Amino acid sequence: MEEILLSFESLKTNLEKELLRTTYIGPNLTKKKRKVCFPREYEHDIIGHLEHNFKHECWLLKQTTNPSMMIVEIDLESANVLRYFSEFRRTLRDALKKRKETLEKAIFEEREPEEMEETVAVTVDFDNQPQVMGWDKFLEDFQLKEGEHYTQNEDDSRPFGFDESFTFFLEKFERNDKAQDNITKIKEFFKGDYEITELDRGGMGAILKLKAKNEPTFLSLRTENYWARQKFIDHLRVVKGPDGVDRSAYVDIPKGTEFVVKVAFEGYEEALIQEAALLSRISEDPDPCPTIIGSLQHGRVFTKDDNHHRLGYYLILEFAPQGDTEKLCQSFPDSKLPTTVSFAMMYGMVQTLQKLQQKGIIHRDLKPGNVLLGKDGIPKLSDFGLSITVDNKDSELNEQDIRLLRVLDQEFLRASREREQLEGRLEKLKKQSLEDDDNIITKIENMELDLRELQKKENQRSDEIKGHYLPLTAKENAALDRFQGSIYFVAPEQLDTKKILTTKCDVYQLASVMFKVMTGQKPVDGASVQEIAQKIINPNKPRVSDFISGKPVVDAMSDLIYEMMEIDPEKRMNIDQVHEKMDQILFAHALELKEVPVYKKPPFFTTPTEIDYWEKKVKFAQEFHEGCMKKIFSSITGL
């Protein structure tokens, strides 16, 4: 470790030179760490210089036995890598800045802009290991892909191992840069209480995993969020008002608890706000549905600086640690769910669709990737981004709608508050004695007129904005005349974009999902969207029993799935009828469903490693089967 002692005298006489000594990294790095000892009086200068030159993860401030001195340890290796990372980023951002200045100058001078650079070159010395590591980090952090964001320049005259040149497309990098900047600021919003892992990102938003790092971590809840109240009942804290009504609620989340947060960047929030509204509607049911992904909190994301700049909208969701059904299928020996596990999953999803039907919600995007698995293996329907409602949005706003609009729109909030305050004053005035008091009667009459005007103002504003924030109805969706959904799993009526959908759309989609997980085959396939669409509207679809045979329970489930895939929604069974059929299958084929699945080892698995791999998959399948059957039969006696 390199050691540097900065004396009070040297800092006083030549501060700038001494500061440069602390952060200088030469071309040939021989020491991996540096320890700098300095007087406490210069803490502000030293730390400020370090923060300007190095990321905080590269250095650590320590106390010494001498109260007048301080020590900072610098990881020179990491700092060197991050220095190159910053140089690559600065090269691209400087080019973007130049483009922006050229465009702004042309706008100011009211003329066509000069020809702007569309690309910028970056050179990497692949003999310089820290630079290569900085390059790799740059590509990874900004999720830059060769061919899409940059290309490698070929030069046959250059020997292998020397400098390599790359050309970046500035417009495409700019989009990634903005997304990266947004994600960095969004992580700042959450990082005080959580460890953060980035799961996915795009130009419109990101998905992060949050892990509570404090014991406990406090999370506020809406008092109406019965799902969260039940989920964290052992950690729930409720504050009641003088009237005994719940005023606020929060949970002391245990350290290590994990969540998923979906974030939509500013300008792209509409779909996420609508999804949050639907999940709030579901979570407010006093009888929470365990097979629907739970939501905890949603709202605006702001920068943590003094400006409080709006970054977008966030939705915190329950974390499903076992992934989705596609991943689950790959864990089984034949990459398909056995009949017993398929039945358990279908049973849970039928209960889910019954709950959505009660709430007037059409999911519209059931597919294996949207059926997640909780810690205990319970299936959970997720991703309500395409969901619509069957109710009429022209009807009077309910309390939930009002709460949402008040959070999202300042003008609506002002009108709503004025109306509530006037209602309160009017109520008090009406309780006063009215005998022979013309002044009070006149005042009440005037206040009632004012109240009607405020209600009219509130309703007018809600009519202007609710189309952006409240979920689409089936009628509004039909008026948009656009296709949305996953083509392999959509119902036939979804192809008629002007048709008003019903909850029977989800019945068909559930059957498509079950066909896929039981057989390993898509219910329809083709070389083009047009070919797939033709097969969707063809009444002669394959049956599950065409691919799996041997047991009466398979035939019963095959017949049910085939009925659910009736192309005419008017003739298709509803979800309550599906539930009845599922119960009939359960009671008629209980013994078959309890049978542990048996798998025959493929003859080409011959080595110890291959055989061990196979046996682990079989063991997983049998244990998962056992867990599913316990859940199904736990509430049923006599089977």
Side-chain angles (χ1 to χ4, degrees):
M1 179 184 290
E2 178 188 3
E3 296 187 8
I4 296 177
L5 174 62
L6 302 178
S7 66
F8 183 87
E9 290 75 16
S10 65
L11 288 168
K12 185 178 179 181
T13 57
N14 207 336
L15 177 62
E16 186 174 344
K17 181 181 177 181
E18 294 292 71
L19 290 177
L20 289 174
R21 283 181 65 198
T22 64
T23 55
Y24 174 74
I25 300 177
N28 298 314
L29 187 65
T30 56
K31 303 287 186 180
K32 293 184 178 181
K33 293 185 182 294
R34 174 181 295 159
K35 181 166 71 173
V36 181
C37 185
F38 59 92
R40 184 177 293 275
E41 291 91 337
Y42 283 90
E43 177 183 357
H44 177 77
D45 299 284
I46 299 291
I47 299 307
H49 183 69
L50 288 170
E51 288 179 338
H52 179 73
N53 288 273
F54 292 152
K55 288 199 171 186
H56 197 279
E57 63 223 61
C58 299
W59 53 272
L60 180 66
L61 188 65
K62 292 185 174 183
Q63 301 292 331
T64 70
T65 53
N66 184 346
S68 64
M69 300 295 287
M70 300 189 75
I71 289 176
V72 63
E73 286 189 2
I74 303 171
D75 184 337
L76 296 175
E77 203 168 38
S78 296
N80 204 20
V81 170
L82 290 171
R83 180 186 67 167
Y84 286 114
F85 166 86
S86 298
E87 286 179 0
F88 292 131
R89 182 180 59 186
R90 184 165 53 250
T91 299
L92 272 292
R93 286 183 171 175
D94 286 348
L96 289 175
K97 183 180 178 182
K98 185 177 178 181
R99 274 170 55 92
K100 183 180 178 182
E101 289 173 348
T102 301
L103 182 61
E104 289 177 346
K105 184 178 179 182
I107 292 173
F108 179 76
E109 296 176 356
E110 298 182 350
R111 59 172 176 79
E112 288 293 320
E114 301 170 3
E115 185 175 346
M116 295 186 293
E117 295 292 336
E118 300 296 332
T119 62
V120 66
V122 172
T123 301
V124 183
D125 179 3
F126 280 87
D127 280 339
N128 184 336
Q129 188 60 28
Q131 190 178 46
V132 172
M133 292 172 68
W135 168 252
D136 290 340
K137 178 177 173 58
F138 176 66
L139 297 181
E140 182 181 349
D141 282 14
F142 285 88
Q143 293 195 348
L144 301 170
K145 299 175 183 177
E146 187 171 2
E148 181 180 349
H149 302 101
Y150 69 94
T151 58
Q152 184 172 352
N153 304 325
E154 296 184 4
D155 186 351
D156 296 335
S157 66
R158 199 167 46 230
F160 178 77
F162 280 64
D163 294 355
E164 296 286 349
S165 177
F166 300 87
T167 296
F168 277 84
F169 308 116
L170 289 173
E171 188 174 344
K172 291 185 177 180
F173 174 78
E174 184 174 25
R175 287 198 292 268
N176 270 46
D177 190 34
K178 287 180 178 177
Q180 173 66 26
D181 190 47
N182 278 335
I183 292 169
T184 300
K185 291 175 181 175
I186 287 164
K187 287 180 179 179
E188 289 285 330
F189 183 81
F190 291 106
K191 79 171 186 179
D193 294 320
Y194 302 99
E195 296 174 10
I196 302 170
T197 304
E198 188 176 321
L199 301 180
D200 195 12
R201 75 157 81 172
M204 296 183 290
I207 300 176
L208 309 173
K209 185 175 78 172
L210 307 181
K211 184 176 181 179
K213 62 183 182 182
N214 301 318
E215 187 70 69
T217 295
F218 298 102
L219 184 68
S220 62
L221 301 175
R222 289 177 295 104
T223 56
E224 305 86 3
N225 190 337
Y226 288 100
W227 175 85
R229 291 179 68 142
Q230 180 172 303
K231 174 77 173 178
F232 297 100
I233 190 167
D234 295 333
H235 309 279
L236 180 66
R237 302 288 183 268
V238 178
V239 178
K240 295 184 180 290
D243 53 1
V245 176
D246 294 350
R247 295 299 184 192
S248 62
Y250 64 94
V251 288
D252 302 332
I253 297 172
K255 183 179 181 180
T257 304
E258 294 177 315
F259 305 107
V260 166
V261 58
K262 298 173 74 172
V263 181
F265 300 149
E266 185 180 9
Y268 303 99
E269 306 110 315
E270 189 172 309
L272 187 61
I273 290 170
Q274 293 172 355
E275 180 178 4
L278 286 174
L279 286 171
S280 293
R281 181 187 297 192
I282 295 167
S283 68
E284 290 180 6
D285 192 315
D287 181 23
C289 183
T291 52
I292 298 177
I293 204 75
S295 68
L296 288 98
Q297 192 184 80
H298 58 93
R300 296 287 190 191
V301 187
F302 296 90
T303 56
K304 298 194 79 172
D305 55 26
D306 294 337
N307 297 323
H308 297 292
H309 175 68
R310 196 172 81 185
L311 296 171
Y313 202 81
Y314 75 92
L315 169 62
I316 299 181
L317 300 167
E318 174 186 15
F319 177 59
Q322 296 198 48
D324 61 37
T325 305
E326 289 181 322
K327 179 183 175 183
L328 177 66
C329 288
Q330 298 306 312
S331 301
F332 286 84
D334 54 1
S335 298
K336 300 180 293 189
L337 300 189
T339 307
T340 47
V341 177
S342 297
F343 183 90
M345 177 171 288
M346 186 171 176
Y347 205 85
M349 286 299 98
V350 168
Q351 293 175 323
T352 297
L353 296 188
Q354 284 185 301
K355 179 65 73 173
L356 296 187
Q357 181 177 257
Q358 293 172 14
K359 298 296 180 185
I361 297 171
I362 305 169
H363 187 277
R364 215 169 43 129
D365 195 25
L366 270 78
K367 57 184 178 182
N370 283 343
V371 180
L372 307 181
L373 282 299
K375 185 178 181 180
D376 50 6
I378 291 179
K380 294 177 180 290
L381 185 59
S382 69
D383 199 346
F384 285 71
L386 295 184
S387 299
I388 56 178
T389 67
V390 297
D391 39 69
N392 185 0
K393 199 183 291 182
D394 292 332
S395 60
E396 188 175 342
L397 291 176
N398 58 39
E399 285 300 316
Q400 183 193 64
D401 295 337
I402 291 173
R403 283 198 304 272
L404 179 63
L405 294 180
R406 288 179 69 160
V407 168
L408 299 172
D409 187 79
Q410 289 294 317
E411 189 175 334
F412 180 87
L413 174 62
R414 285 193 295 271
S416 184
R417 279 180 173 171
E418 286 180 28
R419 187 257 307 160
E420 283 186 348
Q421 291 168 359
L422 186 57
E423 283 177 339
R425 294 198 301 272
L426 183 58
E427 186 66 26
K428 288 181 181 179
L429 195 59
K430 285 182 176 181
K431 290 179 181 179
Q432 297 181 20
S433 174
L434 304 181
E435 294 182 8
D436 302 323
D437 196 334
D438 293 336
N439 289 332
I440 291 181
I441 294 173
T442 302
K443 193 171 183 179
I444 288 174
E445 289 175 348
N446 290 334
M447 290 177 74
E448 286 176 338
L449 287 173
D450 291 341
L451 182 61
R452 283 194 288 273
E453 284 300 312
L454 285 174
Q455 289 170 335
K456 182 180 177 182
K457 182 180 177 181
E458 185 181 29
N459 289 334
Q460 285 176 340
R461 183 57 184 166
S462 72
D463 287 339
E464 292 172 5
I465 63 173
K466 64 184 180 182
H468 297 290
Y469 298 138
L470 302 184
L472 286 173
T473 67
K475 286 183 179 179
E476 289 170 334
N477 178 64
L480 291 175
D481 190 17
R482 66 185 181 192
F483 172 79
Q484 288 183 307
S486 302
I487 188 65
Y488 295 111
F489 303 99
V490 295
E493 59 267 30
Q494 287 180 268
L495 299 176
D496 182 357
T497 54
K498 293 183 179 180
K499 192 173 186 65
I500 298 175
L501 301 178
T502 69
T503 53
K504 288 186 177 181
C505 163
D506 288 345
V507 172
Y508 183 101
Q509 289 192 340
L510 176 58
S512 297
V513 171
M514 298 316 302
F515 187 100
K516 173 65 167 65
V517 300
M518 290 183 71
T519 68
Q521 306 291 321
K522 299 183 183 75
V524 292
D525 206 348
S528 66
V529 173
Q530 290 75 17
E531 184 181 345
I532 296 170
Q534 286 299 316
K535 291 182 178 180
I536 291 172
I537 61 177
N538 186 338
N540 300 316
K541 290 190 174 63
R543 293 174 177 266
V544 169
S545 55
D546 296 339
F547 298 86
I548 310 172
S549 59
K551 291 185 178 182
V553 66
V554 173
D555 293 335
M557 288 190 68
S558 177
D559 290 343
L560 174 57
I561 290 170
Y562 191 81
E563 285 185 69
M564 292 166 67
M565 295 181 75
E566 161 65 47
I567 64 169
D568 185 352
E570 296 294 327
K571 297 178 182 178
R572 191 181 307 147
M573 59 200 316
N574 62 43
I575 196 62
D576 294 326
Q577 292 170 325
V578 175
H579 196 185
E580 289 176 14
K581 283 286 186 95
M582 292 289 289
D583 283 340
Q584 292 170 13
I585 294 173
L586 176 59
F587 280 89
H589 302 281
L591 294 179
E592 288 180 77
L593 288 168
K594 286 184 176 181
E595 292 177 4
V596 177
V598 178
Y599 297 92
K600 184 178 180 181
K601 181 175 69 67
F604 49 81
F605 276 23
T606 56
T607 68
T609 301
E610 291 170 338
I611 293 171
D612 180 62
Y613 170 80
W614 174 260
E615 289 176 348
K616 285 180 178 178
K617 285 210 165 194
V618 172
K619 182 181 179 182
F620 172 85
Q622 293 173 344
E623 289 178 349
F624 205 94
H625 156 86
E626 185 67 23
C628 287
M629 288 303 94
K630 283 181 179 178
K631 291 180 180 68
I632 289 179
F633 292 109
S634 61
S635 59
I636 303 173
T637 57
L639 293 177

